[in-house]
Amino acid sequence: VQLQASGGGLVQPGGSLRLSCAASGVTLGGNAVGWFRQAPGKRRELVSCIDGADAVKGRFAISRDNAKNSVYLAMNSLKPEDTAVYYCAVRLRAMHCNSYSWEYDYWGQGTLVTVSS
């Protein structure tokens, strides 16, 4: 199983980024997939999540493409406090989202988002 997160980078405040999470060895469709982030010295937190029925929640828009076995995070109006490493994760034990990182079974390697002028 492998989740590959990509799309991070440096963006100015107010800007936008689109993160991608491509999976192999596991099917994202029908399962809960979350985007988490972790800033230096802070705990990992859930940013947005899409559940097995494609219900979504969170600050940024999350979407899924089952044909590509991928999930995306569209981030707009970015602020310096959004600077963090962003991780995607899939939860296989239940189809609903959960805000606790230990409830997710497989993780991507993380992609760094830096919001700075």
Side-chain angles (χ1 to χ4, degrees):
V1 175
Q2 186 174 14
L3 273 64
Q4 183 72 37
S6 61
L10 174 64
V11 62
Q12 292 186 343
S16 301
L17 277 177
R18 184 176 185 250
L19 306 184
S20 299
C21 177
S24 60
V26 64
T27 299
L28 299 184
N31 290 306
V33 179
W35 279 98
F36 287 78
R37 68 185 181 189
Q38 188 166 20
K42 294 188 176 182
R43 60 185 291 181
R44 191 169 295 190
E45 63 176 354
L46 180 67
V47 176
S48 296
C49 186
I50 182 168
D51 73 11
D54 288 345
V56 299
K57 67 175 185 179
R59 179 186 167 187
F60 298 123
I62 187 170
S63 60
R64 191 197 326 255
D65 185 336
N66 290 335
K68 295 183 178 180
N69 203 23
S70 296
V71 170
Y72 307 96
L73 185 70
M75 303 188 294
N76 299 315
S77 302
L78 285 164
K79 305 174 182 179
E81 50 264 42
D82 293 317
T83 295
V85 178
Y86 284 70
Y87 301 89
C88 59
V90 61
R91 186 180 192 223
L92 302 181
R93 66 195 72 180
M95 66 177 291
H96 301 295
C97 292
N98 192 292
S99 60
Y100 295 112
S101 59
W102 56 84
E103 287 286 335
Y104 291 76
D105 298 287
Y106 295 101
W107 290 79
Q109 84 287 1
T111 184
L112 176 62
V113 172
T114 303
V115 184
S116 175
S117 56

